[in-house]
Amino acid sequence: MISFFILYIAAVFLSSFVLKKYYLNNIVAVLCMIFTCSELFYGAYQTFVNGYYVSATAYNRYATTQEQAVQDLHTLDDSLFYRTEQTSSWRTNADHFQGNFNEGLAYGYMPLSSYSSTYNSNIMAFYNKCGYSVYRLLITWCEPILSSDSLLGIKYILGDFTQSGYEKVNDTGYNNKNIYKNPYALELGYKTSDDISSEIHADNIFEYQNALLSRIVGHLVQCYKTCTAEKTKNNDGYSWTVTSPEQDSVLYGYCNYTSGNDLKLYIDGNLRTKYSIWSAYKTFQVGDGNTPAHIVQLKGTLQRSREIDGVFYYLDMQEFRDVMREISQNQVTTFDLQDKYIKCEYTAQSDELLLLTIPYDDGWTAYVNGEKVEAYKLQDIFTGIRVTSGINTIEMKYTLPGFKIGVIFSCLGVIVYSLTCFFLFKKQRHF
């Protein structure tokens, strides 16, 4: 409302200028300044009162520790490409709901999750298919999904609870988080079969990941397998007794139709997160496969009549290792990684298709050994590049779509504005 009023005053100011009522100029300018400053101060006050309700000292302590964690991570691994994520942030509350997804930007590591008003819808859809987010309009990462993490190059996690499938690097405790390493994380790009080009239809997120892995390696794989789960409905929610395969595996699950209820997720009696809100994440780790059974509970208030279903699978680690070993034998080596420029090298045994985990965008231009080549969209998100037998130097250069046209129109606007000012000035002198 205030912004609209400022625009109205600005319009009055322009009209007074044109009508040569010069005595209004200073008054209007002062009013514009007063209303603008008032809105800015009021907005800042509301932001800090409603959003940042703890002390500045506590935040500075958190920020300093987080910076140290990222610095130690870079010291630990100076590779050009790997992604990093975390299971809690500065805004994580008592229900272990992570409400801040831009700390990678703030502290200088490369995450998957982000919070913005201008999302890439293809990225959001892919994250939803993989099981990272419930809502299709969010790009969130809150818990590891080992197969998807590995394909996307998530190599390290700052985690505040045990990350099954990851290796704990240290016990330093950065804001109650330790560094965990994913030994299966892949490089920026790797060989894929031509099957990756066709659309995947799957019954659930685990079957989707089975299909995705199968398309990449070019033959059927079944890394995720179903778990037996016995459901019980209670007055305060639901519980599932999930039977473990009692082998080297990681158990995962998610629940459908929870939105609109007030439910918290508990794994073996321990609070994991507030699960039923629109911005919650979807897939959670149940535990490892060595324990005979795990108890998954949704506890709280049921406000919707629709029955909630649980879907539980386990990741067969032996089969998963075999698949990742097969993929990792044909990876690129990254030599340069910047915001608008990527350079990597790949040695092909024959004519092959590479999958780069860079979101496909019309602004990217691809070159192989200095020659411009076509970039393909794979699974509506990845960038595909065809290479020939031998050593291939791959370069990707980015230009903002519409940038040149925008510059031309901006220049035309400046010219029109300058001419308008010139003729108004000339008209005033004439009178």
Side-chain angles (χ1 to χ4, degrees), residues 26 41 68 90 143 236 291 320 340 355 370 415:
N26 291 335
F41 280 111
Q68 184 62 52
W90 167 245
E143 277 200 33
D236 61 348
T291 305
F320 175 68
K340 297 181 180 180
L355 183 154
I415 292 171

Side-chain angles (χ1 to χ4, degrees), residues 101-128:
F101 302 108
N102 286 331
E103 288 200 357
L105 179 65
Y107 297 111
Y109 62 87
M110 191 185 303
L112 274 188
S113 56
S114 64
Y115 195 93
S116 171
S117 299
T118 55
Y119 284 120
N120 182 323
S121 60
N122 291 330
I123 297 178
M124 292 187 294
F126 177 76
Y127 279 26
N128 182 263

Side-chain angles (χ1 to χ4, degrees), residues 18-70:
V18 173
L19 295 174
K20 298 185 295 182
K21 294 181 180 180
Y22 302 113
Y23 65 91
L24 291 176
N25 289 356
N26 291 335
I27 296 175
V28 173
V30 170
L31 288 174
C32 285
M33 181 182 68
I34 290 173
F35 279 109
T36 302
C37 291
S38 298
E39 184 183 31
L40 288 172
F41 280 111
Y42 180 75
Y45 172 78
Q46 290 296 320
T47 298
F48 278 92
V49 168
N50 296 323
Y52 301 94
Y53 39 80
V54 295
S55 70
T57 302
Y59 176 76
N60 287 336
R61 185 164 55 247
Y62 175 88
T64 300
T65 306
Q66 196 76 351
E67 289 170 355
Q68 184 62 52
V70 175

Side-chain angles (χ1 to χ4, degrees), residues 163-225:
Q163 312 299 307
S164 298
Y166 279 70
E167 299 171 352
K168 193 174 185 180
V169 174
N170 60 29
D171 286 305
T172 303
Y174 307 96
N175 296 313
N176 299 317
K177 294 176 284 192
N178 296 307
I179 296 177
Y180 292 84
K181 181 180 179 181
N182 179 3
Y184 313 105
L186 296 173
E187 250 279 10
L188 181 64
Y190 38 85
K191 175 185 174 182
T192 180
S193 75
D194 287 338
D195 295 340
I196 196 69
S197 302
S198 55
E199 187 177 358
I200 295 176
H201 299 279
D203 293 335
N204 57 56
I205 64 172
F206 303 113
E207 295 299 343
Y208 175 82
Q209 293 183 71
N210 279 336
L212 181 61
L213 289 167
S214 299
R215 300 287 178 87
I216 291 172
V217 297
H219 59 84
L220 182 65
V221 297
Q222 198 75 15
C223 294
Y224 285 96
K225 300 169 183 178

Side-chain angles (χ1 to χ4, degrees), residues 1 54 114 178 191 195 202 204 270 286 293 312 319 341 347 362 374-375 398 401 404-405 412 422:
M1 188 67 181
V54 295
S114 64
N178 296 307
K191 175 185 174 182
D195 295 340
N204 57 56
N270 298 313
V286 177
F312 299 95
E319 186 159 351
Y341 179 75
T347 302
D362 292 335
E374 182 179 359
Y398 188 82
K404 294 180 180 179
I405 296 176
L412 289 175
F422 173 76

Side-chain angles (χ1 to χ4, degrees), residues 368-387:
V368 175
N369 295 328
E371 298 290 330
K372 185 177 179 180
V373 298
E374 182 179 359
Y376 302 91
K377 183 188 288 187
L378 305 178
Q379 293 301 315
D380 283 332
I381 178 175
F382 301 119
T383 301
I385 302 292
R386 292 200 176 275
V387 294

Side-chain angles (χ1 to χ4, degrees), residues 16 147 156 199 256 268 300 340 392 394:
S16 68
S147 58
Y156 294 100
E199 187 177 358
N256 287 321
D268 292 330
K340 297 181 180 180
N392 295 268
I394 302 153

